[in-house]
Amino acid sequence: MTSRRLIRLAAGSLTYILLGLAAFISVFPFIWMVIGATNTTADIVIGKVTFGNALTTNINAFVTQVDVPLIMWNSIKIAGLGTFLTLTVTSLAGYGFEIFRSKLRDRVYAIVLLTLMVPFAAIMIPLFMMTAKAGLIDTHIAIILPFIAWAFVIFYFRQATKAFPSELRDAAKVDGLKEWQIFLHIYFPVMRSTYAAAFVIVFMLYWNNYLWPLIVLQSNETKTITLVVSSLASAYYPDYGTVMIGTILATLPTLLIFFAMQRQFVQGMLGSVK
């Protein structure tokens, strides 16, 4: 009995040690980022891992070089509007693919899923040409349009809709509700955890999007925080303290949203329906 307890204790201790090590490895880049924001470029280059006294200097340098309210507004506008439009279109598509039945439904759905196999680099040039012909170069709508009907989120909503109680829809139909009323007043409240999880995923997609905005956005007035931080880091003599300030500013919104919606995110990914 004692040996079994020792084995269980050793196994539990090893598990916690491994989990603690994995947590430290995951969190350390964020810790180093915060520490780096308080140090000079020379200290960061030599790998200093203690807090310094250059935080105010780095903040002033970043604010001097960058129009912070403008780039934050650009990022928030793109992420907010893009997330709203994407969730609206993909949830309607996922709902329709699951609820309405037809001979062509599965074929169309298969074509939608096949688009997930096409890398973005393969469609980047044709997409840019289409955007240029539409006169949308250097506009924020050009960043949003290609991802409004994101196939992955359509797939996610259709799979989640399989857990939606059909009895609720049947009862609503008997009560005389139209399909849009069922979707808005019954489906949406019941699937709110699914929407929360999709919101986190889509918001992070738009907020962290880099390659496509780098190609389309050409003026400083339209650029986002990710592009600005990248340009600061790619300078001939980069000021890494200033880059760390920008990185913190670019990271905070996604962290806050994730931690604020962590419980709903887990419920949505597990397919929870309320």
Side-chain angles (χ1 to χ4, degrees):
M1 188 69 177
T2 304
S3 60
R4 289 183 178 179
R5 289 182 179 178
L6 289 175
I7 292 174
R8 290 179 182 177
L9 180 61
S13 301
L14 180 61
T15 300
Y16 282 112
I17 291 173
L18 292 176
L19 290 175
L21 181 61
F24 175 78
I25 294 173
S26 300
V27 174
F28 179 76
F30 297 97
I31 298 174
W32 187 77
M33 178 179 64
V34 174
I35 294 174
T38 67
N39 290 312
T40 62
T41 298
D43 292 332
I44 296 173
V45 170
I46 64 175
K48 183 182 177 183
V49 291
T50 57
F51 288 97
N53 54 6
L55 177 61
T56 304
T57 303
N58 292 333
I59 292 176
N60 291 335
F62 183 78
V63 174
T64 302
Q65 298 178 49
V66 176
D67 188 347
V68 178
L70 178 62
I71 62 171
M72 290 301 294
W73 167 244
N74 290 340
S75 296
I76 292 172
K77 181 173 69 173
I78 292 173
L81 181 60
T83 300
F84 173 77
L85 293 176
T86 300
L87 291 184
T88 301
V89 172
T90 55
S91 61
L92 284 169
Y95 177 84
F97 275 123
E98 181 60 27
I99 298 299
F100 302 108
R101 302 183 181 278
S102 68
K103 294 181 179 179
L104 295 177
R105 182 190 66 171
D106 292 334
R107 294 182 181 179
V108 174
Y109 185 65
I111 294 174
V112 171
L113 293 184
L114 281 175
T115 61
L116 291 173
M117 301 176 63
V118 181
F120 182 75
I123 63 172
M124 190 166 53
I125 295 177
L127 188 60
F128 178 81
M129 295 175 64
M130 292 172 59
T131 304
K133 288 183 178 179
L136 297 177
I137 296 297
D138 204 28
T139 62
H140 292 158
I141 193 65
I143 307 300
I144 298 172
L145 282 177
F147 304 99
I148 284 182
W150 191 12
F152 170 76
V153 188
I154 294 176
F155 167 79
Y156 172 71
F157 270 109
R158 186 187 181 183
Q159 294 303 113
T161 305
K162 293 180 183 294
F164 178 70
S166 59
E167 295 81 5
L168 292 178
R169 181 172 179 270
D170 295 338
K173 296 288 283 186
V174 171
D175 291 339
L177 269 68
K178 297 181 180 179
E179 200 64 52
W180 69 267
Q181 293 174 317
I182 296 174
F183 180 86
L184 187 62
H185 299 295
I186 297 178
Y187 178 83
F188 178 74
V190 170
M191 307 296 290
R192 60 182 181 272
S193 60
T194 301
Y195 275 90
F199 176 86
V200 174
I201 295 172
V202 176
F203 184 88
M204 288 186 176
L205 166 75
Y206 281 108
W207 186 270
N208 296 323
N209 196 4
Y210 172 74
L211 181 58
W212 182 236
L214 179 65
I215 297 171
V216 175
L217 302 181
Q218 300 176 352
S219 64
N220 293 329
E221 290 74 19
T222 59
K223 289 187 176 181
T224 61
I225 182 66
T226 53
L227 296 181
V228 171
V229 172
S230 175
S231 64
L232 292 175
S234 59
Y236 193 75
Y237 290 109
D239 184 349
Y240 290 114
T242 304
V243 172
M244 292 300 175
I245 295 295
T247 305
I248 292 175
L249 193 62
T251 305
L252 276 179
T254 55
L255 285 178
L256 293 176
I257 287 177
F258 178 78
F259 285 120
M261 305 181 67
Q262 184 177 10
R263 180 176 299 178
Q264 294 85 347
F265 177 79
V266 173
Q267 291 175 350
M269 295 306 293
L270 293 177
S272 175
V273 176
K274 294 187 177 180

